[in-house]
Amino acid sequence: MVTQFKSALRNSQSTLLQDAVGAASLVVMLVVGLHLPGLI
């Protein structure tokens, strides 16, 4: 199981950064959306 995990991580290493940036942008949009009513 550990070898499968390492293999999957090695094969998807190029898209891992893109996924992290996408997840961070979703969190930022959520926080901004929740604070937007308080600004108006």
Side-chain angles (χ1 to χ4, degrees), residues 2-31:
V2 174
T3 57
Q4 289 177 345
F5 181 72
K6 286 181 181 180
S7 175
L9 185 63
R10 192 178 314 116
N11 291 337
S12 66
Q13 194 171 9
S14 61
T15 60
L16 205 57
L17 180 63
Q18 293 174 350
D19 291 341
V21 169
S25 66
L26 287 174
V27 169
V28 168
M29 286 191 291
L30 175 67
V31 170

